[in-house]
Amino acid sequence: MRKRKQSAQDEDAVSLCSLDISEPSNKRVKPLSRVTSLANLIPPVKATPLKRFSQTLQRSISFRSESRPDILAPRPWSRNATPSSTKRRDSKLWSETFDVCVNQMLTSKEIKRQEAIFELSQGEEDLIEDLKLAKKAYHDPMLKLSIMTEQELNQIFGTLDSLIPLHEDLLSQLRDVRKPDGSTEHVGPILVDWLPCLSSYDSYCSNQVAAKALLDHKKQDHRVQDFLQRCLESPFSRKLDLWNFLDIPRSRLVKYPLLLREILRHTPNDNPDQQHLEEAINIIQGIVAEINTKTGESECRYYKERLLYLEEGQKDSLIDSSRVLCCHGELKNNRGVKLHVFLFQEVLVITRAVTHNEQLCYQLYRQPIPVKDLLLEDLQDGEVRLGGSLRGAFSNNERIKNFFRVSFKNGSQSQTHSLQANDTFNKQQWLNCIRQAKETVVCAAGQAGVLDSEGSFLDPATESREPQGETKLEQMDQSDSESDCSMDTSEVSVDCEHMEQTDSSCGNSRHIESNV
């Protein structure tokens, strides 16, 4: 009897310990989320066909959408559950996959060649898998659950479906010429015949600017954000979001020249494949260059169509005739106002991001500035006052770094803007873009003279620049501070989530400004 009581007490003690109420704790305990992780609902992709996965995901989302109304506020977990890092696939080597024996008497160079060919083939296989995943795990469930309309999904996914059979064809041909021991003798003729098919990437890449903008806009819908977040937290996504999957084809396209050069580098001079590989490299370089040009023109059209003019006088023929957008992004003026600046071929346009008819648009902030008449000045850290002397005296030093100034004067018209970039690198990218645009305009106009380090036009006879004294700098700061009050915005300002930085492609198409 005594033992039985003791046993009952022990059971009670165990149950109390399991409830963890023995004593109060000062630690904050994170409440368990009511939302079951998608990882617990869906097995890994490799273990379950994509069709079954899609059905499981649809049932999960349907249950959530029926159990509560759409008007509920976003859940806290969706803000704090950002994945820490992207998971990459484990790389596969040709020598490990096919157990190459040393007795085969392959040279080190030949082994490297086989590795490069295998990397090309393996990359095609991974690409096909990712494209199918994007359709089965994202497109089809969102369409069936009416998370997005068919028209919206067609805009976001573009011609992605047509790319899958294209790459399946190349993968099939590469596997057909692979010998039983895993080695491949010739790939050049296959690539020469297949690469012209990549011209179909034209429409897909040209659609990406509009697709990205629509996807970002739809993420404001909590059902869309909820679905994408659950997918992001699932093993099948490898912590890649939807846009990462949609951007994979473009990344693959620009990688082909590097892959082919690597194969060529390890191909002996007396190998018949060498000539075909050189021809293939020329083909793919031409295709990439043409697609890059058309994509740039498409991007330029997209942003020109979203410019909002406060008055007819702001419209400029230089904007209408522009076919290339050299660079654009978010900058701040010396009052901390966020501006979105566009550098077209021959004109600089300063705007504010606004919403108009539920679309992100850009309302002109001031009159467009012709590149040929633009004056550029690189400002030293601490040289700009923030919103007046009193505010500037007590401001943090971090807020007065990375400024540069653009100004324009033509008769009675004059403008001055002190613009702040996010960091030193971004500031230098803007300076380089503007200077190159000015140089291009000057060369096109056949003007003599050169640019100094600040983008000012130098007289070749005297090699002197227009003096800029203390008084002029003071007037510039003052006019920039006052310019904020002249903006009449009837729309709601929107902070751009990402600022697009100029990449290496800018070097080919950017046009840089020179001071006159």
Side-chain angles (χ1 to χ4, degrees):
M1 187 70 176
R2 189 172 184 179
K3 288 184 178 180
R4 189 171 181 181
K5 287 184 177 181
Q6 183 65 31
S7 176
Q9 291 176 358
D10 292 342
E11 289 178 1
D12 291 341
V14 171
S15 62
L16 289 175
C17 291
S18 64
L19 293 175
D20 194 19
I21 58 172
S22 56
E23 60 180 18
S25 173
N26 294 328
K27 293 183 179 179
R28 291 185 178 180
V29 180
K30 185 177 180 181
L32 294 176
S33 173
R34 292 184 298 172
V35 182
T36 304
S37 171
L38 193 57
N40 297 329
L41 300 176
I42 306 167
V45 173
K46 291 184 179 179
T48 305
L50 288 175
K51 184 176 181 180
R52 286 180 54 196
F53 155 71
S54 176
Q55 294 171 350
T56 306
L57 180 60
Q58 291 166 7
R59 288 196 299 268
S60 171
I61 300 296
S62 298
F63 176 78
R64 286 176 50 78
S65 60
E66 293 170 1
S67 63
R68 67 182 180 194
D70 290 345
I71 59 174
L72 291 181
R75 279 71 52 208
W77 66 269
S78 64
R79 294 192 296 266
N80 301 327
T82 303
S84 56
S85 60
T86 301
K87 293 182 179 179
R88 291 189 174 186
R89 286 190 178 94
D90 294 333
S91 59
K92 297 180 181 179
L93 297 177
W94 172 77
S95 56
E96 295 176 352
T97 304
F98 295 98
D99 296 328
V100 178
C101 182
V102 181
N103 295 332
Q104 290 181 322
M105 301 299 293
L106 291 177
T107 63
S108 174
K109 187 170 185 177
E110 180 60 26
I111 292 178
K112 290 180 180 179
R113 182 173 185 270
Q114 294 300 325
E115 293 285 5
I117 295 174
F118 182 73
E119 182 182 357
L120 173 65
S121 176
Q122 189 63 36
E124 294 299 304
E125 187 176 338
D126 293 342
L127 174 63
I128 294 168
E129 181 183 334
D130 285 337
L131 295 184
K132 289 182 177 180
L133 177 65
K135 178 160 178 24
K136 294 291 184 181
Y138 291 91
H139 178 281
D140 294 351
M142 285 194 287
L143 178 61
K144 187 170 183 178
L145 299 171
S146 300
I147 295 177
M148 289 194 201
T149 66
E150 185 175 3
Q151 182 180 1
E152 290 170 337
L153 290 170
N154 290 340
Q155 175 72 67
I156 292 173
F157 285 81
T159 58
L160 182 139
D161 274 352
S162 66
L163 304 180
I164 297 176
L166 184 70
H167 292 279
E168 286 178 333
D169 178 42
L170 176 60
L171 180 60
S172 175
Q173 294 187 58
L174 292 176
R175 286 175 174 174
D176 288 343
V177 297
R178 183 181 294 164
K179 295 180 180 180
D181 62 359
S183 63
T184 302
E185 190 171 352
H186 302 298
V187 294
I190 295 175
L191 293 171
V192 170
D193 292 338
W194 179 81
L195 284 173
C197 300
L198 291 178
S199 297
S200 60
Y201 265 70
D202 180 5
S203 57
Y204 184 81
C205 293
S206 297
N207 178 62
Q208 280 197 301
V209 177
K212 181 67 165 63
L214 178 58
L215 179 60
D216 289 342
H217 174 69
K218 293 301 295 182
K219 285 180 180 179
Q220 299 176 21
D221 182 343
H222 86 269
R223 291 190 70 212
V224 176
Q225 181 61 32
D226 182 49
F227 177 88
L228 296 179
Q229 183 66 35
R230 289 162 67 86
C231 290
L232 185 64
E233 294 175 352
S234 303
F236 75 85
S237 72
R238 308 194 308 278
K239 297 188 178 180
L240 298 173
D241 62 20
L242 173 56
W243 183 251
N244 290 135
F245 284 103
L246 296 178
D247 195 46
I248 285 175
R250 182 200 60 81
S251 302
R252 181 67 178 175
L253 179 66
V254 299
K255 193 176 180 181
Y256 279 118
L258 301 177
L259 293 171
L260 301 190
R261 286 195 194 99
E262 186 66 14
I263 298 175
L264 178 62
R265 190 163 69 93
H266 300 296
T267 300
N269 295 333
D270 58 350
N271 191 316
D273 225 17
Q274 187 182 54
Q275 183 178 355
H276 292 103
L277 286 171
E278 291 175 348
E279 182 181 354
I281 291 174
N282 291 332
I283 292 173
I284 188 59
Q285 285 179 333
I287 292 174
V288 171
E290 183 167 349
I291 291 178
N292 185 52
T293 299
K294 291 184 177 180
T295 302
E297 293 175 353
S298 175
E299 180 186 26
C300 185
R301 285 195 303 272
Y302 175 84
Y303 285 110
K304 286 198 300 183
E305 292 170 356
R306 278 153 184 78
L307 293 179
L308 299 178
Y309 301 91
L310 292 174
E311 55 187 26
E312 286 295 321
Q314 290 183 329
K315 294 185 177 180
D316 196 312
S317 60
L318 293 177
I319 298 178
D320 297 333
S321 62
S322 295
R323 298 181 59 191
V324 176
L325 178 60
C326 304
C327 63
H328 71 100
E330 185 181 282
L331 299 170
K332 295 180 181 179
N333 65 8
N334 63 337
R335 295 179 62 87
V337 177
K338 292 181 180 179
L339 304 171
H340 202 95
V341 182
F342 297 90
L343 176 61
F344 294 96
Q345 286 170 285
E346 299 183 36
V347 62
L348 183 76
V349 182
I350 301 177
T351 70
R352 273 180 171 171
V354 299
T355 52
H356 179 69
N357 294 333
E358 297 186 353
Q359 282 190 337
L360 179 62
C361 297
Y362 303 92
Q363 190 177 61
L364 263 69
Y365 181 69
R366 295 289 294 275
Q367 196 73 16
I369 302 176
V371 168
K372 66 182 181 66
D373 299 327
L374 185 147
L375 298 173
L376 173 67
E377 186 178 0
D378 184 2
L379 301 177
Q380 300 298 319
D381 292 344
E383 188 173 341
V384 175
R385 296 179 306 167
L386 297 181
S389 58
L390 181 61
R391 181 182 174 187
F394 295 98
S395 62
N396 190 339
N397 289 334
E398 291 296 324
R399 300 187 61 189
I400 54 177
K401 290 183 178 180
N402 308 316
F403 270 93
F404 63 93
R405 179 180 287 124
V406 292
S407 56
F408 160 72
K409 186 173 184 179
N410 184 10
S412 60
Q413 296 182 356
S414 64
Q415 293 183 48
T416 300
H417 305 277
S418 297
L419 303 173
Q420 184 182 31
N422 283 353
D423 50 43
T424 304
F425 174 80
N426 187 243
K427 170 187 173 181
Q428 193 58 47
Q429 292 290 92
W430 274 101
L431 294 176
N432 292 341
C433 276
I434 295 174
R435 287 168 183 157
Q436 186 179 340
K438 290 185 69 64
E439 287 174 0
T440 303
V441 172
V442 169
C443 292
Q447 298 179 8
V450 295
L451 296 175
D452 68 0
S453 60
E454 295 183 355
S456 299
F457 186 73
L458 294 177
D459 187 339
T462 62
E463 296 188 358
S464 61
R465 181 163 62 100
E466 180 185 354
Q468 298 180 350
E470 293 294 331
T471 304
K472 185 173 182 180
L473 291 176
E474 197 71 24
Q475 292 173 348
M476 286 181 173
D477 280 335
Q478 183 177 358
S479 64
D480 186 78
S481 300
E482 293 173 352
S483 65
D484 300 318
C485 302
S486 63
M487 182 63 182
D488 179 18
T489 55
S490 57
E491 306 292 343
V492 181
S493 296
V494 177
D495 293 343
C496 298
E497 294 181 1
H498 301 288
M499 185 173 78
E500 301 180 18
Q501 297 185 351
T502 309
D503 56 15
S504 58
S505 63
C506 254
N508 298 328
S509 60
R510 285 181 306 202
H511 311 286
I512 300 182
E513 330 166 325
S514 54
N515 295 323
V516 177

